[in-house]
């Protein structure tokens, strides 16, 4: 296992002229107890490993004295690559990037993931950020690291931003690749024992489709992945999840697809395949209520036999007016009731998300939402609600109206650290 091996090799501090075949990844902690390996980093690590680079992953959630560890590991590395979303992850990103720059001002620091993809310019303006990767990072990061190693100009690598003579330069966008063309994730880099110690559960994330055909006004997805839903074939899903859970002794897989149920035949085939394979793990998905309601009770029972135990669904509001403002006209209340009833009958937990304080929500709309939640809970015991306070994210359609809605938009990278739904 490369990660473990890299800790034991005798460390050689490279002179500035030497080239390194090592990349250090840092994953700042999520303000969440759901600790498991960061899928974005496992994704971009594979092409590097295949091309002969060694990779060290430092996840601050499971690494005591993570700053010291980063400072030790970068000594013989080519660059430091950090993955982050908007919000509190920015705090540790800044802490680590500043510490590395204090050690060596010209050591390359690359930021990738959702926040740098949605706000590349503002992110790159931070003095301790040298390069940003926009969108899918598998090919881009490999090309970038190869160019850094060869000390070649990076101007023609699509999908990046960098600094040249004090100016910010952005290259052309890299076209999105369908998920079937992406390499497998480097799960062997994950220290599942440490994640289990941290959160009490042994689980992993898995992704089987990209994008979502809808365009909710608060959602950032279309800004990074577009709206062309594309997915892995059911056989691949079955083979990979069975292998993943068996290999690492996992009890659960969270399928992080934005909308797992777009292709119902695929979903049914996955259920059948898992039953046939005798799969012995629980899994959960995210899907819209309108698509969940299209599944029959038999379909849901089949998926349950295949291990599906929870469907997370974005109900978001109990007010017609707010749903309209959210551009969620594809969902009606009937589908929510249907979905709750059928999921429970099949033994699957329906989990519904609610967003309070969306622009336009007054006392009346809030009351409608609370009444709706109470009604669902009374009628469908076992249905659960997760509530959030609306947080505007860069790149979402509603942010285009930020000024009109009185949303305070941070003017610097660090300003976004406080953006967190409370
Ligand atoms: C899993 C997940 C979580 C998990 C994370 C667990 C973990 N250990 O990683 C948990 C539950 C903790 C979580 C929490 C939250 N999340 Co979340 N989450 C996701 C989800 C569903 C999947 C992420 C994922 O792994 N995808 C699969 C990987 C392979 O794709 P990827 O991350 O896009 O990575 C690719 C590129 O981005 C890039 N890349 C990624 N990292 C790097 C690094 C480098 C160096 C490079 C070069 C490239 C690169 O290359 C990768 C491969 O192509 C996404 C939605 C989504 N579709 O991705 C939301 C998402 C990331 N979450 C989001 C949000 C808003 C939150 C919360 C605020 C929600 C809340 N209500 O609390 C919190 C924030 C927590 C915090 N502290 O900041 C937003 C982020 C929006 C933004 N502007 O950043 C997303 C996009 C959902 C959405 N559509 O709004 N989340
Ligand atoms: S259904 Fe979910 S993933 Fe799709 S656009 Fe709406 S919030 Fe985003």
């Amino acid at each position: 296992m490369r990660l473990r091996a890299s800790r034991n090799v005798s460390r050689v501090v490279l002179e500035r002229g030497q080239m390194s075949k090592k990349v250090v990844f840092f994953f700042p902690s999520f303000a969440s107890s759901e600790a498991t390996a960061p899928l974005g980093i496992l994704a971009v690590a594979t092409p590097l490993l295949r091309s002969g680079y060694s990779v060290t992953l430092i996840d601050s959630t499971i690494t005591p004295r993570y700053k010291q560890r980063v400072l030790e590991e970068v000594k013989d590395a080519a660059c430091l690559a950090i993955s982050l979303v908007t919000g509190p992850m920015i705090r540790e990103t800044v802490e680590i990037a500043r510490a590395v720059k204090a050690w060596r001002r010209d050591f390359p620091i690359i930021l990738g993931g959702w926040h740098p993809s949605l706000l590349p310019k503002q992110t790159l303006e931070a003095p301790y950020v040298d390069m940003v990767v926009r969108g899918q990072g598998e090919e881009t990061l490999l090309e970038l690291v190869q160019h850094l190693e060869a000390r070649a100009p990076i101007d023609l690598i699509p999908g990046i931003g960098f600094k040249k003579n004090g100016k910010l330069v952005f290259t052309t966008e890299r076209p999105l690749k369908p998920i079937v063309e992406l390499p497998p994730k480097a799960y062997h880099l994950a220290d599942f024992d440490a994640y289990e110690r941290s959160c009490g559960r042994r689980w992993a994330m898995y992704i089987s489709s990209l994008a979502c055909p809808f365009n909710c006004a608060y959602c950032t997805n279309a800004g990074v992945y577009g709206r062309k839903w594309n997915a892995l074939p059911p056989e691949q899903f079955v083979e990979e999840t069975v292998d993943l859970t068996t290999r690492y002794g996992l009890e659960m897989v969270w399928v992080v697809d934005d909308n797992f149920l777009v292709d119902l035949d695929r979903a049914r085939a996955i259920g059948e395949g898992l039953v046939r394979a005798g799969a012995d793990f629980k899994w959960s998905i995210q899907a819209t209520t309108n698509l969940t309601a299209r599944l029959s009770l038999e379909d849901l029972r089949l998926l349950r036999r295949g291990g599906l135990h929870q469907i997370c669904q974005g109900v978001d509001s109990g007010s017609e007016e707010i749903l309209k403002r959210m551009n969620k006209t594809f969902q009606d209340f009937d589908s929510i009731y249907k979905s709750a009833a059928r999921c429970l009958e099949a033994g699957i937990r329906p989990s519904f998300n609610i967003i309070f304080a969306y622009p336009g929500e007054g006392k009346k709309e809030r009351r409608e939402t609370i009444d709706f939640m109470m009604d669902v809970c009374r009628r469908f015991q076992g249905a659960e609600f997760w509530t959030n306070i609306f947080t505007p994210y860069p790149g979402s359609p509603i942010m285009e109206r930020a000024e009109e809605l009185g949303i305070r938009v941070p003017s610097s990278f660090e300003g976004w650290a406080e953006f967190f739904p409370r």
Side-chain angles (χ1 to χ4, degrees):
M1 202 159 108
R2 262 178 198 278
L3 175 69
R4 296 259 164 79
S6 70
R7 279 183 196 153
N8 300 329
V9 289
S10 58
R11 213 165 304 289
V12 185
V13 180
L14 295 183
E15 294 302 323
R16 295 219 176 162
Q18 276 180 272
M19 291 167 186
S20 168
K21 294 286 277 184
K22 172 178 164 187
V23 175
V24 178
F25 283 101
F26 178 64
F27 191 58
S29 74
F30 266 98
S32 159
S33 54
E34 305 292 338
T36 191
L39 212 46
I41 290 181
L42 303 190
V44 298
T46 301
L48 290 168
L49 292 166
R50 284 180 172 174
S51 300
Y53 290 90
S54 76
V55 162
T56 298
L57 164 58
I58 300 164
D59 179 337
S60 84
T61 301
I62 54 163
T63 314
R65 297 166 43 250
Y66 59 84
K67 186 155 95 182
Q68 233 158 311
R69 266 294 306 285
V70 173
L71 289 170
E72 281 163 21
E73 293 290 349
V74 289
K75 282 181 188 153
D76 58 353
C79 59
L80 172 68
I82 306 179
S83 173
L84 65 148
V85 304
T86 308
M89 291 180 99
I90 289 174
R91 279 187 220 131
E92 284 181 10
T93 300
V94 176
E95 179 197 7
I96 290 299
R98 283 217 171 107
V100 169
K101 287 291 178 191
W103 160 66
R104 225 182 87 185
R105 220 160 58 89
D106 64 350
F107 188 81
I109 296 184
I110 305 166
L111 264 55
W114 283 84
H115 189 79
S117 297
L118 293 165
L119 285 179
K121 183 170 172 286
Q122 196 188 62
T123 306
L124 192 56
E125 276 166 3
Y128 37 78
V129 178
D130 299 303
M131 292 148 225
V132 290
V133 168
R134 291 138 60 205
Q136 290 175 323
E138 285 88 344
E139 289 183 353
T140 316
L141 185 64
L142 174 63
E143 286 174 25
L144 189 51
V145 172
Q146 284 171 330
H147 280 68
L148 290 177
E149 190 197 355
R151 297 180 194 288
I154 56 177
D155 307 56
L156 296 178
I157 301 174
I160 62 164
F162 62 99
K163 288 167 180 160
K164 194 174 183 180
N165 305 325
K167 288 213 171 94
L168 307 190
V169 180
F170 291 93
T171 60
T172 52
E173 243 176 68
R174 185 180 288 270
L176 286 167
K177 275 217 159 169
I179 192 164
V180 281
E181 288 178 27
L182 297 175
K185 316 290 180 277
Y187 281 105
H188 66 286
L189 294 176
D191 186 346
F192 286 111
D193 293 340
Y195 288 113
E196 187 181 2
R197 281 195 297 277
S198 166
C199 78
R201 284 190 304 162
R202 200 172 176 88
W203 66 288
M205 298 188 291
Y206 177 81
I207 187 155
S208 80
S209 70
L210 292 179
C212 172
F214 303 117
N215 198 19
C216 303
Y218 58 82
C219 181
T220 53
N221 275 6
V224 174
Y225 285 106
R227 291 170 63 190
K228 201 164 169 227
W229 188 84
N230 61 97
L232 297 177
E235 307 76 41
Q236 189 174 343
F237 181 107
V238 173
E239 196 188 314
E240 288 183 348
T241 52
V242 170
D243 178 70
L244 176 63
T245 49
T246 315
R247 193 181 290 265
Y248 301 107
L250 308 179
E251 62 193 81
M252 205 197 97
V253 171
W254 176 20
V255 181
V256 298
D257 301 21
D258 295 313
N259 207 342
F260 179 85
L261 293 175
V262 172
D263 179 346
L264 296 185
D265 288 337
R266 186 186 86 112
R268 287 184 195 107
I270 286 174
E272 277 161 17
L274 288 171
V275 171
R276 219 175 305 124
D280 185 22
F281 61 90
K282 292 199 287 189
W283 51 293
S284 65
I285 57 169
Q286 313 187 114
T288 41
T289 54
N290 60 328
L291 297 180
T292 311
R294 271 169 47 197
L295 287 170
S296 67
L297 183 57
E298 287 66 44
D299 293 333
L300 285 163
R301 282 195 172 132
L302 170 69
L303 287 162
R304 179 70 191 89
R305 284 206 306 282
L308 180 65
H309 77 118
Q310 181 187 27
I311 305 184
C312 304
Q313 302 161 68
V315 161
D316 295 335
S317 177
S319 151
E320 295 262 17
E321 172 56 27
I322 297 300
L323 287 173
K324 219 184 288 160
R325 288 177 186 237
M326 288 175 169
N327 198 22
K328 280 194 88 102
T329 43
F330 57 84
Q331 164 187 291
D332 59 31
F333 290 107
D334 191 39
S335 72
I336 302 168
Y337 287 111
K338 254 191 208 147
S339 156
R342 276 195 211 137
C343 283
L344 287 169
E345 206 175 337
I348 295 170
R349 181 161 22 112
S351 295
F352 298 122
N353 272 307
I354 293 287
I355 300 174
F356 279 112
Y358 194 78
E361 183 190 87
K363 259 193 183 163
K364 174 178 165 284
E365 292 78 17
R366 201 170 311 138
R367 179 37 65 195
E368 283 171 355
T369 301
I370 293 168
D371 288 346
F372 168 75
M373 290 165 66
M374 298 297 282
D375 187 39
V376 172
C377 289
R378 262 189 225 113
R379 286 165 59 178
F380 305 102
Q381 279 191 13
E384 65 178 17
F385 281 93
W386 292 81
T387 58
N388 294 284
I389 304 288
F390 168 67
T391 309
Y393 283 103
S396 57
I398 196 167
M399 277 306 243
E400 285 159 25
R401 296 172 50 220
E403 204 176 319
E404 171 202 333
L405 296 168
I407 295 172
R408 188 187 59 85
V409 182
S411 56
S412 71
F413 173 60
E414 285 169 45
W416 289 99
E418 304 312 317
F419 261 63
F420 192 59
R422 283 164 221 282

